[in-house]
Amino acid sequence: MADTRAPSRPATAPPPPEDAEPPLPPTLRRNAPLVPTDSAASRALAAVIAILTFLAALCAGAAEIVASSAGQWQGAVAQEVTVQVRPGPGRNIDADVSRAEGIAKAAPGIAEARVFTKAESERLLEPWLGSGLDLSDLPVPRLITLKLASDATPDLKALRANLTEALPGVASLDDHALWLQRLSTMANTFVGIGVGIVALVLAATGLAVVFATRGAMAGNKEVVEVLHFVGANDDYIARAFQSRFFRLGLRGGAIGAGAALLAFALAGVLARVSRSGPAGDEIEALFGTFQVSWRGYVIIVVIGVIASLVTGVVSRITVRRFLD
């Protein structure tokens, strides 16, 4: 039996509503953003921000290492005091050292006392006088290192008075307060210099963004005028520039902060490897373990975020001033 049904009609799209706006012709469509981020100038600005963020992060990390090492030095120095016993004519230096050691051990708050031998005391002068010298005829003082107890507060003033009374003009107590003060001043100065350098680098980042924003505004002057003509306000234009430059700053800040984190990680690995070499003791004594603590890593990440925020805020302020 033949099929008598009428052929089905192809499905057609519903007609557009009467109030719908017709689409723009392809020649009038703007596919590129208002402020292009993939141009040569944008890539150069991102590179500048990355370099400046890297330098700022290096300064901040170095300042954190110095502050941490200074804290360790201060803690180690503050846990020890030194008794110096000077030889004198007609006196038995060994007897004076034994008497000073007994007075120190009897004082409350002293956990341990270590007497330096004559050879050890002479060896301490080698960095200044050189090695291989006969110091037997020189009145080299003898030293007694006292380790303070952590669970008790020693009365160093009373101990100094007892040593002076028992061995007047012979024994003296050094609590290293002068060295601690100098060490604290040095560490605070270095940290202050690091903070100042970070501030200058961020200021340089802001200036670079100012010039880049002005250049972008000059290059898109006709587009800005058209936007004003069709009713766009200054806030819309400023947000567009701020969004684009914030992305550039975020990219540059992430690259710079990531490079700084990688640099400190590699430096820590190299420090651990070189610690077994002949210069390992000197490096560890000067810089500690050369490890950035979690606080240092957080500071580096924060610097990258601040660089991005500075880029966005400065670009918005520059655009508003340009439009005004």
Side-chain angles (χ1 to χ4, degrees), residues 89-103:
R91 300 190 65 91
N92 188 346
I93 184 64
D94 292 328
D96 292 340
V97 169
S98 299
R99 188 174 182 184
E101 181 185 6
I103 295 174

Side-chain angles (χ1 to χ4, degrees), residues 29-239:
R29 296 176 185 174
R30 180 179 175 87
N31 297 323
L34 177 60
V35 186
T37 57
D38 294 331
S39 62
S42 300
R43 290 192 294 269
L45 178 61
V48 170
I49 295 174
I51 293 173
L52 293 177
T53 304
F54 176 73
L55 295 177
L58 285 184
C59 293
E64 197 277 334
I65 290 177
V66 171
S68 178
S69 299
Q72 296 176 2
W73 296 338
Q74 290 176 351
V77 173
Q79 290 299 316
E80 291 184 350
V81 295
T82 304
V83 176
Q84 186 181 66
V85 181
R86 291 178 294 272
R91 300 190 65 91
N92 188 346
I93 184 64
D94 292 328
D96 292 340
V97 169
S98 299
R99 188 174 182 184
E101 181 185 6
I103 295 174
K105 287 184 177 179
I110 304 299
E112 183 182 349
R114 177 178 179 273
V115 179
F116 280 67
T117 64
K118 186 176 185 299
E120 291 175 336
S121 299
E122 293 177 352
R123 197 176 300 119
L124 295 176
L125 300 177
E126 289 183 358
W128 289 270
L129 302 180
S131 59
L133 297 178
D134 186 10
L135 304 179
S136 58
D137 295 334
L138 293 179
V140 178
R142 299 282 295 278
L143 300 179
I144 304 174
T145 302
L146 307 179
K147 186 176 181 180
L148 306 182
S150 58
D151 55 349
T153 303
D155 190 356
L156 298 181
K157 185 177 181 180
L159 177 58
R160 182 180 288 107
N162 293 335
L163 290 172
T164 303
E165 182 180 358
L167 299 169
V170 175
S172 61
L173 179 67
D174 184 9
D175 57 359
H176 308 155
L178 180 61
W179 294 104
L180 288 174
Q181 182 181 1
R182 292 179 177 178
L183 184 60
S184 177
T185 302
M186 181 272 296
N188 294 334
T189 301
F190 195 91
V191 171
I193 293 174
V195 172
I197 293 176
V198 171
L200 289 176
V201 171
L202 292 178
T205 303
L207 292 176
V209 173
V210 169
F211 287 109
T213 305
R214 287 185 173 272
M217 289 292 294
N220 293 271
K221 185 176 181 180
E222 293 80 4
V223 178
V224 173
E225 291 177 353
V226 172
L227 290 175
H228 277 153
F229 180 75
V230 298
N233 55 15
D234 293 345
D235 287 336
Y236 173 79
I237 300 174
R239 284 196 302 270

